[in-house]
Amino acid sequence: MDIRYIHAADLHLDTPFLGLSRLTTGGGRLTKLLQEATFTALERLFRLCETDKPDFLVLAGDIYNEEHHSVKAQLRLYDGCRRLSDAGIRVFLAHGNHDPLSSRLTAVQWPDNVTTFGPEVEQHILEKNGVPAAIIHGISHESIREGRNLASLFRRNTEQACFQLGVLHCSVEGNSITDRYAPCSLNDLQETGLDAWALGHVHEHATLCTAPFIAYSGSTQGLHINEAGPHGCLRVTVTPSPNGGFECKEEFVRLGPIQWAKVEVDLEGVEHLDDVERRCITALEAEADATAPGCEAVLARVHLCGHTQLDTVLRKATACDDLAERLTHLQTGTPGVWVTDIKATTATVIDHKQYLEREDLLGESLRLVHALEIDDDALHGIADNALRPLYEHGQLRKILERPDRAHLHTLLQEAERLCADILEVR
């Protein structure tokens, strides 16, 4: 028989959006949107369940944050679970590193439809028409620093032939995340014999494997600029495979009302400030137009790039702030667009052929830059000598990563820009 479930994780309910004081001073529309963003995503999740009527809902950890102990978050989740109880929908909840079992957040008395996984792997059978239709396996983080390989504790129930799902908040080897909690490998998950995994901890939606089906749903609402794009949950339909086993079909459903974006504005050849403003407006409006229904606000970081005669002007301390202020009218759109900051990494317009022929300090500097652009060994040699004091420092060497080729060439381009800006007589 077919099984349908909804997989959500990393709700981080009532998490404050820090670092946006410039945009939220004095209250207003954005302040209210930010205060309710995670709860709006939660409400949309419950409405989706009430409309779709899945067999069950999975919440794979970090539903809220231990450090904030938000009563509001706990009670809003409780209210939603009561609604799902009335709709006959079961909820399976695992705790993660932000809401471990050791926290006082476990004080809520959940309705009967909610199963909260404990510190050891549990198996719960879900029946349809009196027949076992699925087994949901799960475990919660017992403490805030869970270092065990929890995936290795899971095993398929060989006495049942039905669909079997694992619920886990973990770091799968190979994912680019800095916080390593309950670390495991993809092979660890596959060797358990389970048909699918509903994972939490990674805030971006990612499908790691299709058979067995292993996926991160991502967070329900992006929390900062590095969590750009739409965020939500997964609607999963499970059907028996003709060759044995089960096939899982996933569909991403947007929930988050606020979308973060990094918007690049190419100013190549631009000579006038009004053209800069027009290009910014065009790029930001295109970003807003590309959002899906349900997006109420776009928080955008604007990156100005390209060769332009306005490079020196745009790099002045107040220039980008003034430009951001000129763009505040975009906040009234649907969705509204708020510019969090503008960063200029433009470059001076340089006639390389002319400069390379000059017999002065600027010409000599640019000839050296040109030579290093085509000689990676020489570039790495200069960089190693210049950066050696940092990487031999007792404390800094533990946290600094050596720049790769792409990063070194970016630094070289910046050096070229500085030379042209400082040494050219204007």
Side-chain angles (χ1 to χ4, degrees):
M1 65 183 73
D2 290 357
I3 294 290
R4 295 183 304 114
Y5 67 92
I6 290 176
H7 166 201
D10 298 282
L11 284 66
H12 290 278
L13 298 175
D14 210 15
T15 297
F17 288 79
L18 303 176
L20 297 174
S21 57
R22 179 180 65 82
L23 299 177
T24 57
T25 301
R29 179 185 170 198
L30 181 59
T31 300
K32 294 178 180 178
L33 285 173
L34 289 171
Q35 289 173 343
E36 286 295 312
T38 56
F39 293 116
T40 299
L42 178 68
E43 174 61 23
R44 290 176 177 178
L45 174 63
F46 287 138
R47 288 182 183 176
L48 176 66
C49 290
E50 290 171 325
T51 301
D52 276 19
K53 297 192 181 334
D55 294 298
F56 58 92
L57 166 67
V58 169
L59 299 176
D62 283 4
I63 290 87
Y64 22 55
N65 290 333
E66 178 194 28
E67 58 265 32
H68 298 130
H69 297 295
S70 170
V71 172
K72 179 181 179 181
Q74 297 173 70
L75 295 180
R76 291 279 279 269
L77 182 64
Y78 171 82
D79 289 342
C81 289
R82 283 289 301 271
R83 287 164 50 187
L84 297 191
S85 178
D86 294 340
I89 299 170
R90 291 184 65 177
V91 179
F92 294 91
L93 188 157
H95 288 264
N97 56 287
H98 277 281
D99 57 353
L101 292 172
S102 60
S103 75
R104 59 182 178 177
L105 296 174
T106 57
V108 175
Q109 182 65 47
W110 298 108
D112 292 340
N113 66 317
V114 177
T115 297
T116 300
F117 294 111
E120 302 297 333
V121 176
E122 302 174 10
Q123 299 182 15
H124 296 273
I125 296 177
L126 182 141
E127 295 186 348
K128 294 179 70 172
N129 302 320
V131 177
I135 299 178
I136 295 85
H137 306 240
I139 190 172
S140 287
H141 288 215
E142 189 170 11
S143 63
I144 199 167
R145 289 286 177 184
E146 180 57 78
R148 296 178 297 163
N149 182 343
L150 299 180
S152 65
L153 305 177
F154 286 70
R155 288 292 180 272
R156 183 180 185 84
N157 184 330
T158 56
E159 297 179 0
Q160 300 289 343
C162 61
F163 172 73
Q164 300 193 29
L165 171 73
V167 182
L168 181 61
H169 196 83
C170 66
S171 307
V172 178
E173 186 179 279
N175 280 279
S176 57
I177 51 178
T178 56
D179 298 327
R180 309 295 294 181
Y181 297 106
C184 66
S185 68
L186 186 60
N187 190 57
D188 291 331
L189 298 171
Q190 294 169 328
E191 285 188 342
T192 62
L194 300 185
D195 301 300
W197 285 88
L199 304 181
H201 188 49
V202 174
H203 286 196
E204 299 296 327
H205 166 224
T207 300
L208 307 185
C209 185
T210 56
F213 176 65
I214 304 174
Y216 284 105
S217 62
S219 59
T220 53
Q221 167 61 59
L223 302 181
H224 50 73
I225 190 62
N226 291 323
E227 296 182 359
H231 285 251
C233 65
L234 294 181
R235 176 195 279 134
V236 183
T237 302
V238 182
T239 56
S241 172
N243 301 321
F246 298 87
E247 295 179 354
C248 297
K249 179 182 179 181
E250 65 172 318
E251 179 186 356
F252 176 80
V253 181
R254 181 204 180 94
L255 298 175
I258 293 176
Q259 184 164 314
W260 298 83
K262 295 180 180 180
V263 178
E264 186 172 287
V265 179
D266 186 1
L267 301 181
E268 189 72 29
V270 171
E271 299 179 357
H272 303 102
L273 285 172
D274 52 318
D275 287 336
V276 174
E277 182 179 29
R278 275 194 290 271
R279 291 199 182 194
C280 287
I281 291 172
T282 299
L284 290 167
E285 288 180 338
E287 186 70 32
D289 290 342
T291 61
C295 179
E296 299 178 36
V298 175
L299 299 182
R301 169 174 290 171
V302 176
H303 173 211
L304 306 178
C305 60
H307 293 82
T308 171
Q309 295 178 1
L310 299 172
D311 171 66
T312 303
V313 174
L314 294 173
R315 287 175 177 269
K316 289 182 178 179
T318 60
C320 287
D321 289 340
D322 291 342
L323 182 57
E325 186 176 347
R326 292 277 301 181
L327 300 172
T328 55
H329 67 281
L330 297 174
Q331 297 170 8
T332 60
T334 304
V337 178
W338 279 262
V339 176
T340 61
D341 60 305
I342 299 178
K343 181 180 180 181
T345 58
T346 49
T348 304
V349 177
I350 297 175
D351 185 340
H352 283 85
K353 182 177 180 180
Q354 175 191 347
Y355 281 9
L356 291 174
E357 294 175 352
R358 287 170 50 160
E359 296 299 328
D360 57 8
L361 183 56
L362 177 57
E364 184 63 29
S365 299
L366 295 189
R367 281 192 288 275
L368 176 58
V369 169
H370 180 70
L372 293 175
E373 284 179 339
I374 59 178
D375 189 342
D376 283 345
D377 291 338
L379 177 58
H380 278 279
I382 289 178
D384 287 344
N385 288 332
L387 299 175
R388 182 174 293 114
L390 294 177
Y391 295 112
E392 292 181 351
H393 188 278
Q395 297 298 321
L396 291 178
R397 66 183 181 184
K398 297 178 182 178
I399 60 175
L400 290 178
E401 294 184 4
R402 291 186 177 274
D404 58 16
R405 180 181 182 278
H407 191 187
L408 285 179
H409 279 270
T410 299
L411 293 174
L412 188 62
Q413 292 170 7
E414 179 66 8
E416 179 185 67
R417 187 198 68 79
L418 288 171
C419 288
D421 193 42
I422 295 171
L423 300 177
E424 176 69 312
V425 177
R426 302 185 188 282

